[in-house]
Amino acid sequence: QTKEMLSMFLLSMAMAAVVTSSNRCHVAALATSPPSSTSPSKKSVFTEIQPLKAAMLTKSWQGLLLDVDQKVGIVPELGSTSVGVQRFGPELKRRTSCARQFERCYEAAFALAIADKGPSPEEARAKRLTIPLLLIDGEARGPDCKTFACLTSPATIAVVEQQQKQKPQKNESNDCIIEEEEEGGGLWWSVLMLIVNPTERNIDAIVEAERTMLRELCKAAMESNGSADGDGGLVPSLRILDKARETLAGDEGALGLSPLRTSTINHDKNNNVDDQWYRCELS
């Protein structure tokens, strides 16, 4: 336990050191990209990033969130750089949910980074299995999780489980039934968390950034065509967890979302649903 605590401390120090490394300019551009008065550029750079970098960026965005949370728009009487405080309405509720989403994203990415410090892939996978935040919908999602960034303006980060093999349709336990999935062939890329640089206050720009990230993930899932060690030839579909959905600014139409009618969600013996998923279809 002491050894693992020391590893966590050293990793925290490494995160601080990265800011002053040769990657500083790149990270700063992601962390502080200026708010857009119009829709973000159509050009985007979509890439997988290491969990450590995702955690570092999320931590820096958490600090920015404290500065701009609940602030939207411009107050003409106070000048072009001023902001008004929105204390009511759905946007305030969404931004409040975003604060918790940032915490979850940081904790999950940081836990993945610590797990990956294991001496072997097997030990790293074993540690990923026990990450509490990634025990979702009755399953350990950590082993197949990856972190992605889309370098639009504003930038976005997503934690995604890339399911490698089709899950069994029935659970042997009498306490839990997994319903059969009618759509998507049962192989999914699952968006567990998605965050947007909080300095952006233009709702249209935020929605376009969310749409770009989801569109790139849909494209990547389609192009993966399964994996060599999994169900090769079975094309994954993209879905998003309800806890991630509730923090998005875009509505279902703008983001290509639709509730899954019979999703692979867990029901306990009282027929309570733990989590809900939304299919995402964008091209």
Side-chain angles (χ1 to χ4, degrees), residues 1-13 114:
Q1 185 177 5
T2 302
K3 185 176 180 181
E4 184 155 333
M5 290 178 64
L6 179 60
S7 175
M8 292 178 65
F9 174 76
L10 292 175
L11 191 54
S12 298
M13 295 297 291
I114 287 184

Side-chain angles (χ1 to χ4, degrees), residues 15 27 30-31 49-65 98-110 147-148 156-159 193-198:
M15 289 177 65
V27 171
L30 269 173
I49 59 176
Q50 293 300 312
L52 177 59
K53 179 173 283 189
M56 179 188 64
L57 289 172
T58 303
K59 191 67 173 178
S60 68
W61 287 1
Q62 280 184 287
L64 295 173
L65 182 65
C98 283
R100 177 54 187 151
Q101 183 83 316
F102 273 72
E103 293 175 6
R104 294 177 65 247
C105 189
Y106 167 73
E107 291 170 12
F110 187 63
T147 48
F148 294 90
T156 52
I157 295 174
V159 178
M193 301 160 199
L194 196 163
I195 59 174
V196 181
N197 186 324

Side-chain angles (χ1 to χ4, degrees), residues 8 20 28 40 58 101 172 176 180 189 243 245-246 250 261:
M8 292 178 65
T20 58
T58 303
Q101 183 83 316
E172 295 178 358
C176 179
E180 292 187 3
W189 279 23
K243 292 181 178 63
R245 166 69 186 94
E246 68 185 12
R261 291 193 297 274

Side-chain angles (χ1 to χ4, degrees), residues 40 94 98 101 156 191 193-196 203-219 238-259 277-283:
R94 187 189 71 83
C98 283
Q101 183 83 316
T156 52
V191 181
M193 301 160 199
L194 196 163
I195 59 174
V196 181
I203 294 298
D204 291 339
I206 294 172
V207 172
E208 184 60 29
E210 294 169 348
R211 180 179 172 85
T212 300
M213 169 62 90
L214 292 174
R215 183 172 59 243
E216 293 289 351
L217 286 169
C218 282
K219 180 181 177 182
L238 188 72
R239 64 180 180 176
I240 184 168
L241 186 65
D242 55 355
K243 292 181 178 63
R245 166 69 186 94
E246 68 185 12
T247 65
L248 300 181
D251 59 24
E252 292 184 1
L255 301 179
L257 302 178
S258 57
W277 299 92
Y278 293 81
R279 170 191 287 277
C280 180
E281 295 178 293
L282 289 172
S283 58

Side-chain angles (χ1 to χ4, degrees), residues 8-9 16 45 47 119 131 133 142 156 178 184 201 250 267 281-282:
M8 292 178 65
F9 174 76
V45 178
T47 183
I131 297 175
L133 271 174
T156 52
I178 300 181
R201 295 184 294 273
H267 296 255
E281 295 178 293
L282 289 172

Side-chain angles (χ1 to χ4, degrees), residues 1 3 5 38 74 146 195 198-199 204 227-228 232 235 262:
Q1 185 177 5
K3 185 176 180 181
M5 290 178 64
T38 59
I74 296 174
K146 294 186 178 181
I195 59 174
T199 58
D204 291 339
S227 64
V235 179
T262 54

Side-chain angles (χ1 to χ4, degrees), residues 80-102:
S80 61
T81 60
S82 65
V83 293
V85 179
Q86 181 169 313
R87 298 188 182 279
F88 304 99
E91 176 60 9
L92 175 56
K93 180 180 178 181
R94 187 189 71 83
R95 295 281 293 195
T96 302
S97 298
C98 283
R100 177 54 187 151
Q101 183 83 316
F102 273 72

